[in-house]
Amino acid sequence: MSGLVLIGPPGAGKGTQAKILQKRLGIDHISSGDLLRAAIATGTSKGRDAKRYMDRGELVPDDLVVSLIEERLIEDAARAFLLDGFPRTVRQAETLADMLARKGRSIDAALSLDVPTDELVARLGGRRTCRTCGAMFHMVFDPPRSPGVCDRCGGELYQREDDNEETIRARLRVFEKQTQPVLEHYAKQGKLRAVDGRGTPSEVSERVVAIIGDAR
Ligand code: AMP
């Protein structure tokens, strides 16, 4: 296996599934959202540029996100990887294919995590993330043992700035308009695999693993 991409609207569980798959399959997890948030946290110029778009729930420009992904893919050039949140536009998908082809690699399959809109909004509004280890919780569906504190490492839990109702709605519209065409792009290549994203993280990961088994 060379590479997989995980596509889904915000709240579909991309990050959660990617972390489970990273452990189960020993593949490299590359999240464009995490790379962007890290660039913001370290105060780089790319981070400053990206923040303006992210705060509004819009996509950051293709060139910016492509450059971060390319740096990261070069670091681990030989390992199988799972891209989470990238590509989000057809142009990103095409650039990715070119980037990989230069190294004799390609995407094996694009997994589409499907979850109804009402459930996405409920999931995102209650989402909390650990500042220290990145573990994710949900105020209702998966609450931490003590409020505001990570069960795993004791770190502080925070709500992402873009997880407020208005920005969530904007991100869902952006998905419909800009990322749905990416699903069609992979469908045309025969690489699209749809996964029912409803249920618990382990139920969903069982479905994902069954599908990846076929793609390998
Ligand atoms: P995520 O953590 O995947 O939900 O991404 C959070 C935000 O980062 C998105 O709402 C976008 O503003 C930005 N972002 C992440 N990945 C991409 C991408 N592939 N292209 C453009 N913007 C992105």
Coordinates of all heavy atoms in Angstrom, one line a residue, residues 10-11 14 31-34 36-37 50 53-55 57-62 65 69 84-89 92 127 160 162-163 167 171 174, ligand 1:
P10 N -16.7 18.2 7.9 CA -16.3 18.4 9.3 C -17.2 17.7 10.2 O -18.4 17.7 10.1 CB -16.4 19.9 9.5 CG -17.2 20.4 8.3 CD -17.0 19.5 7.2
G11 N -16.6 17.0 11.2 CA -17.4 16.2 12.2 C -17.6 14.8 11.8 O -18.2 14.0 12.6
K14 N -12.9 12.1 10.7 CA -11.7 11.8 10.0 C -10.5 11.7 11.0 O -9.7 10.7 10.9 CB -11.4 13.0 9.0 CG -12.4 13.2 7.9 CD -12.0 14.2 7.0 CE -11.8 15.6 7.5 NZ -13.1 16.3 7.9
S31 N -2.4 15.0 8.8 CA -3.6 15.8 8.8 C -3.3 17.3 8.4 O -2.4 17.9 9.1 CB -4.2 15.8 10.3 OG -4.9 17.0 10.5
S32 N -3.9 17.7 7.4 CA -3.7 19.1 6.9 C -4.1 20.1 8.0 O -3.5 21.1 8.2 CB -4.4 19.4 5.6 OG -5.7 19.0 5.6
G33 N -5.3 19.8 8.7 CA -5.7 20.7 9.7 C -4.7 20.8 10.9 O -4.4 21.9 11.4
D34 N -4.2 19.7 11.3 CA -3.2 19.7 12.3 C -1.9 20.4 11.9 O -1.3 21.2 12.7 CB -2.7 18.2 12.7 CG -3.8 17.5 13.6 OD1 -4.8 18.2 13.9 OD2 -3.7 16.3 13.8
L36 N -1.8 22.9 9.8 CA -2.1 24.3 9.8 C -2.1 24.9 11.2 O -1.6 25.9 11.5 CB -3.4 24.5 9.1 CG -3.4 24.3 7.6 CD1 -4.8 24.2 7.0 CD2 -2.7 25.5 6.9
R37 N -2.8 24.1 12.1 CA -2.9 24.6 13.5 C -1.5 24.6 14.2 O -1.2 25.6 14.9 CB -3.8 23.7 14.4 CG -5.3 24.0 14.1 CD -6.2 23.2 15.0 NE -6.3 21.8 14.5 CZ -7.0 21.3 13.6 NH1 -7.9 22.1 12.9 NH2 -7.0 20.0 13.2
A50 N -2.9 31.5 7.1 CA -4.0 30.4 7.2 C -5.1 30.8 8.2 O -6.3 30.6 7.9 CB -3.4 29.1 7.5
Y53 N -8.4 32.6 7.1 CA -9.4 31.7 6.4 C -10.0 30.8 7.4 O -11.3 30.6 7.3 CB -8.7 30.9 5.3 CG -8.1 31.8 4.2 CD1 -6.8 32.2 4.3 CD2 -8.9 32.3 3.1 CE1 -6.2 33.1 3.3 CE2 -8.3 33.1 2.2 CZ -7.0 33.5 2.3 OH -6.4 34.3 1.3
M54 N -9.2 30.1 8.2 CA -9.8 29.1 9.1 C -10.8 29.7 10.1 O -11.8 29.1 10.4 CB -8.6 28.4 9.9 CG -7.8 27.6 8.9 SD -6.2 27.0 9.7 CE -6.8 25.7 10.7
D55 N -10.5 30.9 10.6 CA -11.5 31.5 11.5 C -12.8 31.8 10.9 O -13.8 31.8 11.5 CB -10.9 32.9 12.0 CG -9.8 32.7 13.1 OD1 -9.7 31.5 13.5 OD2 -9.1 33.6 13.4
G57 N -14.0 29.7 8.6 CA -14.5 28.4 8.1 C -14.3 28.2 6.6 O -14.8 27.3 6.0
E58 N -13.4 29.0 6.0 CA -13.1 28.9 4.6 C -11.9 28.0 4.4 O -11.1 27.8 5.3 CB -12.9 30.3 4.0 CG -14.1 31.1 4.0 CD -13.8 32.6 3.6 OE1 -12.6 32.8 3.1 OE2 -14.7 33.4 3.8
L59 N -11.7 27.5 3.2 CA -10.5 26.8 2.9 C -9.3 27.8 2.8 O -9.5 28.9 2.2 CB -10.6 26.0 1.6 CG -11.7 24.9 1.6 CD1 -11.6 24.1 0.3 CD2 -11.5 23.9 2.8
V60 N -8.2 27.4 3.2 CA -7.0 28.2 3.0 C -6.5 28.0 1.5 O -6.9 26.9 0.9 CB -5.8 27.9 4.0 CG1 -6.3 27.9 5.4 CG2 -5.2 26.5 3.7
P61 N -5.8 28.9 1.0 CA -5.4 28.7 -0.5 C -4.7 27.4 -0.7 O -3.9 27.0 0.1 CB -4.5 30.0 -0.7 CG -4.9 31.0 0.3 CD -5.3 30.2 1.5
D62 N -4.9 26.9 -1.9 CA -4.3 25.6 -2.3 C -2.8 25.6 -2.1 O -2.3 24.6 -1.5 CB -4.7 25.2 -3.7 CG -6.1 24.8 -3.9 OD1 -6.8 24.3 -2.9 OD2 -6.7 25.0 -5.0
V65 N -1.6 25.2 1.6 CA -1.7 23.8 2.2 C -0.9 22.8 1.5 O -0.3 21.9 2.1 CB -3.2 23.5 2.4 CG1 -3.9 23.2 1.1 CG2 -3.5 22.3 3.3
I69 N 1.8 20.0 3.1 CA 1.7 18.6 2.8 C 3.0 18.1 2.1 O 3.5 17.0 2.5 CB 0.5 18.3 2.0 CG1 -0.8 18.6 2.7 CG2 0.5 16.9 1.4 CD1 -1.2 17.6 3.8
D84 N -5.5 13.0 6.0 CA -6.7 13.3 6.7 C -7.0 14.8 6.4 O -6.3 15.6 6.8 CB -6.5 12.9 8.1 CG -7.3 13.7 9.1 OD1 -8.3 14.4 8.8 OD2 -7.0 13.6 10.3
G85 N -8.1 15.0 5.7 CA -8.5 16.4 5.4 C -7.8 17.0 4.2 O -8.0 18.2 3.9
F86 N -7.1 16.2 3.5 CA -6.4 16.7 2.2 C -6.5 15.5 1.2 O -6.2 14.4 1.7 CB -5.0 17.0 2.5 CG -4.2 17.5 1.3 CD1 -4.1 18.9 1.0 CD2 -3.6 16.6 0.5 CE1 -3.4 19.3 -0.1 CE2 -2.9 17.1 -0.7 CZ -2.8 18.4 -0.9
P87 N -6.9 15.7 0.0 CA -7.2 17.0 -0.7 C -8.6 17.4 -0.4 O -9.5 16.5 -0.3 CB -7.0 16.6 -2.2 CG -7.3 15.2 -2.3 CD -6.8 14.6 -0.9
R88 N -8.9 18.7 -0.4 CA -10.2 19.2 -0.3 C -10.7 20.0 -1.5 O -11.9 20.4 -1.5 CB -10.2 20.2 0.9 CG -10.7 19.6 2.2 CD -10.4 20.7 3.3 NE -11.2 20.6 4.5 CZ -10.8 20.2 5.7 NH1 -9.7 19.6 5.8 NH2 -11.6 20.3 6.7
T89 N -9.9 20.1 -2.5 CA -10.3 20.7 -3.8 C -9.8 19.7 -4.9 O -8.8 19.0 -4.7 CB -9.8 22.1 -4.0 OG1 -8.3 22.0 -4.2 CG2 -10.1 23.0 -2.9
Q92 N -6.2 20.4 -5.5 CA -5.3 19.8 -4.6 C -5.1 18.3 -4.9 O -4.0 17.7 -4.8 CB -5.8 19.9 -3.1 CG -5.8 21.3 -2.5 CD -6.4 21.4 -1.1 OE1 -6.6 20.3 -0.5 NE2 -6.6 22.6 -0.7
R127 N -17.5 19.0 20.6 CA -16.1 18.4 20.5 C -15.1 19.2 21.4 O -15.2 20.4 21.5 CB -15.7 18.5 19.1 CG -14.3 18.0 18.9 CD -14.1 17.7 17.4 NE -13.9 18.8 16.5 CZ -13.6 18.6 15.3 NH1 -13.4 17.5 14.7 NH2 -13.5 19.7 14.5
R160 N -12.1 24.0 19.7 CA -11.5 24.6 18.6 C -12.3 25.9 18.2 O -13.5 25.9 18.3 CB -11.5 23.7 17.4 CG -10.3 22.8 17.3 CD -10.3 21.8 16.2 NE -10.8 22.3 14.9 CZ -10.8 21.6 13.8 NH1 -10.4 20.3 13.9 NH2 -11.3 22.1 12.7
D162 N -12.9 27.2 15.5 CA -13.9 27.1 14.4 C -15.0 26.1 14.6 O -15.8 25.8 13.7 CB -13.1 26.7 13.1 CG -12.3 25.4 13.1 OD1 -12.2 24.9 14.2 OD2 -11.8 25.0 12.1
D163 N -15.1 25.6 15.9 CA -16.3 24.7 16.2 C -17.4 25.5 16.8 O -18.0 25.0 17.8 CB -15.8 23.6 17.2 CG -15.1 22.4 16.4 OD1 -15.2 22.4 15.2 OD2 -14.5 21.6 17.1
T167 N -19.6 29.1 12.3 CA -18.5 28.6 11.5 C -18.7 27.2 11.0 O -18.3 26.8 9.9 CB -17.1 28.8 12.3 OG1 -17.1 30.1 12.9 CG2 -15.9 28.6 11.4
R171 N -18.5 25.8 7.3 CA -17.6 24.7 6.9 C -18.4 23.7 6.1 O -17.9 23.0 5.2 CB -16.9 24.2 8.1 CG -15.8 25.1 8.6 CD -15.4 24.9 10.1 NE -14.8 23.6 10.3 CZ -14.9 22.9 11.4 NH1 -15.5 23.5 12.5 NH2 -14.3 21.8 11.6
V174 N -18.9 24.9 2.6 CA -17.7 24.8 1.9 C -17.4 23.3 1.4 O -17.0 23.0 0.3 CB -16.5 25.3 2.7 CG1 -15.2 24.8 2.2 CG2 -16.5 26.8 2.8
Ligands
AMP1 P1 -9.8 20.2 9.8 O1 -9.0 20.1 11.0 O2 -9.5 19.2 8.8 O3 -11.3 20.3 10.1 O4 -9.5 21.6 9.1 C1 -9.7 22.9 9.8 C2 -9.6 24.0 8.8 O5 -8.3 24.1 8.2 C3 -10.5 24.0 7.6 O6 -11.8 24.5 7.9 C4 -9.8 24.8 6.6 O7 -9.9 26.2 6.9 C5 -8.4 24.4 6.9 N1 -7.9 23.3 6.0 C6 -7.6 22.0 6.5 N2 -7.2 21.2 5.4 C7 -7.4 22.0 4.3 C8 -7.2 21.8 2.9 N3 -6.8 20.5 2.5 N4 -7.4 22.8 2.1 C9 -7.7 24.0 2.5 N5 -8.0 24.3 3.8 C10 -7.8 23.3 4.7

